Amino acid sequence: MGGTRLPASALARMAATRLLRGDLALLRRAQEDRALVLLRAVHTRLRRRPEAVGPEAHRAFEAHWALLARAEARRPAVARFALGYPAVGARLVAVVRAADGAELEWALAAFGAAAVAVALLTGTACTADLAAPEGVLALPGVGVLRAFAPGARVSVRAGGAWVRPLGHRRAGAAVLRLPGTGAGAGSRPRWTAVGVGWRQPARLPGSAARLEDIDPFRVPPGGVGLPGLEPRPAAERDETAAYPWAARWDRALALLLTADPVRAAEIGALVRAVVPLGAAPSGGGGGRVSATTRAVPGALLTTWPGSAAQLAAVLVHETHHTKLDLVHELAPLHGSEAGEREGAAGGAAHRVGWRPDPRPVRGVLHGTYAHLALADLWARLAGAGTVPERFRRAARDRHEQCWEQVREALPILLNSSELTYAGRQFAIGMSEYHQNLGKRVRPRHR
């Protein structure tokens, strides 16, 4: 994928869930490569089937594609970083999956907004008229303008941009200033904005991640949920504002930095957006839900976490799903995509301790890896002298539970014929680390 390769030594460290700085850089490149692969798929589709959309939509796509090329040539590292934002990836996935005709034209309009967002963040001069569905223009990773108009004009010049609604004189405009466009190639862009109707995702303290509660592509169509539970939609900003997300994030990171700086570094490198999930449409409870998506790595979708420790656990759990997805892109760990789907013909389903429903091998591998990382986290928190004794006792109990769940699941993987050679080596590495972890912190009730 994009020329990135996974050395055997790195695969072994990833199996043990603990990475070096170079391993994190490799996964970050793989994360950005994912967006480039989707971009190539989009371009290939429109090149091979230009008749899939009308002439006007095709001309607009060509202009947006050329704009992306100019942005990448101007500031390659910043362009790759901007393309790796999850809401950009979600737009690319929408183009790849859209049916020919009106659906594809709608997806390409959203792609155009992503191209302009990348241009803005790289300081690439342009002027573009963009569609604003339902009167809202969304520039992924930048912000959203309530235009009260069917479209808006974005003008990017050195150091900033102007966003103005089209055909609606009473609607306000937004002015965005980029004080750092002349910084080094690897710098992460920051901006300030003023304007009526303008909103932007808040930066979470101590990281480059954002609290993404405004972009229309932040949650997959249909919402997020577990089997048997009502899917959760994206939380709207007024719902998000009722909870102190930034403070909870700050405390969770502080807890991780105290007990396990390696985990904190992984989260800082791989989590680009935290997406709050709202209440179930029926108004019922349904418990807490968290998720990541393989198609769009870097986004962590979650309901409100009850404590800083719970958010720390969610961050570790979901980041390991992302890590495993990226490892699988670099060195396939199991069989074909068809065999990965739950319930696919010929694919075995297995009982595991963390889910009530039978899981395919891919699900067993993901769950085992995430719970191995959690067993490690709780072991470190159980031994941290900076937290209260009552908390350490609870952490030891959670370590024991996760350790036992991994112990029960590992034989499924070690005896599976659905794993590749790399997948078997990965399972063996997990097993070895699991044994060492058990020796370091002995569970009390085994």
Side-chain angles (χ1 to χ4, degrees):
M1 189 172 71
T4 305
R5 296 291 181 266
L6 186 63
S9 57
L11 182 70
R13 286 190 296 272
M14 291 178 186
T17 79
R18 307 195 64 77
L19 309 185
L20 300 179
R21 182 176 297 179
D23 302 330
L24 275 177
L26 187 150
L27 290 185
R28 277 283 301 281
R29 287 197 299 274
Q31 202 172 27
E32 293 173 354
D33 284 348
R34 177 76 177 171
L36 298 181
V37 169
L38 287 169
L39 267 178
R40 285 195 290 270
V42 168
H43 188 257
T44 298
R45 178 178 185 183
L46 271 293
R47 188 184 72 244
R48 291 179 177 175
R49 289 184 50 78
E51 72 281 2
V53 295
E56 184 177 349
H58 197 275
R59 282 193 297 271
F61 169 74
E62 293 292 347
H64 294 145
W65 185 266
L67 178 58
L68 274 180
R70 288 198 291 121
E72 196 278 336
R74 188 175 192 276
R75 301 188 72 194
V78 175
R80 283 177 63 99
F81 187 77
L83 284 168
Y85 191 70
V88 174
R91 284 162 169 78
L92 297 175
V93 170
V95 175
V96 171
R97 295 177 176 174
D100 289 357
E103 183 180 345
L104 181 55
E105 290 186 0
W106 172 83
L108 286 175
F111 165 78
V116 172
V118 175
L120 193 157
L121 294 173
T122 57
T124 304
C126 69
T127 298
D129 291 345
L130 299 172
E134 300 181 3
V136 175
L137 172 68
L139 300 175
V142 179
V144 170
L145 177 69
R146 177 69 68 175
F148 299 102
R153 174 166 295 172
V154 182
S155 300
V156 180
R157 297 293 180 265
W162 293 259
V163 187
R164 299 181 179 87
L166 293 172
H168 198 305
R169 292 184 178 181
R170 295 179 60 188
V175 180
L176 285 71
R177 296 185 178 90
L178 289 164
T181 52
S187 63
R188 296 174 180 180
R190 298 171 180 267
W191 64 91
T192 57
V194 293
V196 178
W198 175 262
R199 297 174 296 164
Q200 61 192 46
R203 186 181 297 274
L204 291 167
S207 74
R210 299 189 178 278
L211 185 67
E212 182 53 87
D213 59 354
I214 55 173
D215 193 276
F217 284 78
R218 63 191 183 274
V219 170
V224 176
L226 296 173
L229 298 178
E230 193 173 5
R232 299 297 190 93
E236 299 300 330
R237 173 151 288 188
D238 56 352
E239 186 178 356
T240 303
Y243 298 96
W245 281 92
R248 182 80 15 121
W249 167 275
D250 197 32
R251 294 192 193 101
L253 273 194
L255 186 64
L256 288 171
L257 281 168
T258 299
D260 195 350
V262 170
R263 296 284 182 241
E266 292 174 354
I267 289 160
L270 298 176
V271 176
R272 296 287 308 276
V274 174
V275 180
L277 297 175
S282 65
R288 296 187 176 97
V289 175
S290 66
T292 55
T293 62
R294 180 179 176 184
V296 186
L300 189 155
L301 301 85
T302 182
T303 50
W304 170 247
S307 67
Q310 185 179 89
L311 178 56
V314 167
L315 287 168
V316 170
H317 183 118
E318 298 300 342
T319 298
H320 279 76
H321 287 312
T322 295
K323 285 167 63 176
L324 195 60
D325 281 335
L326 295 172
V327 169
H328 180 68
E329 295 279 359
L330 299 172
L333 302 175
H334 45 80
S336 67
E337 296 297 313
E340 293 174 23
R341 294 195 302 271
E342 189 171 352
H350 308 274
R351 293 287 180 181
V352 291
W354 56 84
R355 287 280 291 261
D357 52 326
R359 307 298 293 149
V361 162
R362 177 179 180 269
V364 176
L365 181 61
H366 265 267
T368 303
Y369 191 54
H371 283 79
L372 179 60
L374 286 175
D376 183 278
L377 171 68
W378 293 123
R380 292 171 190 277
L381 288 172
T386 55
V387 298
E389 172 60 26
R390 182 168 59 87
F391 184 94
R392 294 201 299 271
R393 287 197 301 269
R396 181 178 286 274
D397 289 340
R398 293 186 182 185
H399 160 80
E400 179 179 351
Q401 181 184 35
C402 291
W403 195 93
E404 287 291 341
Q405 289 173 337
V406 173
R407 181 185 66 81
E408 293 171 359
L410 278 169
I412 298 172
L413 299 173
L414 294 171
N415 295 317
S416 174
S417 62
E418 297 180 52
L419 297 184
T420 63
Y421 175 78
R424 282 195 56 79
Q425 295 303 112
F426 197 86
I428 291 169
M430 284 197 297
S431 179
E432 291 173 350
Y433 191 70
H434 175 259
Q435 293 174 14
N436 292 334
L437 186 60
K439 293 174 183 176
R440 193 169 76 231
V441 181
R442 294 185 62 84
R444 292 176 300 176
H445 308 301
R446 278 172 47 205

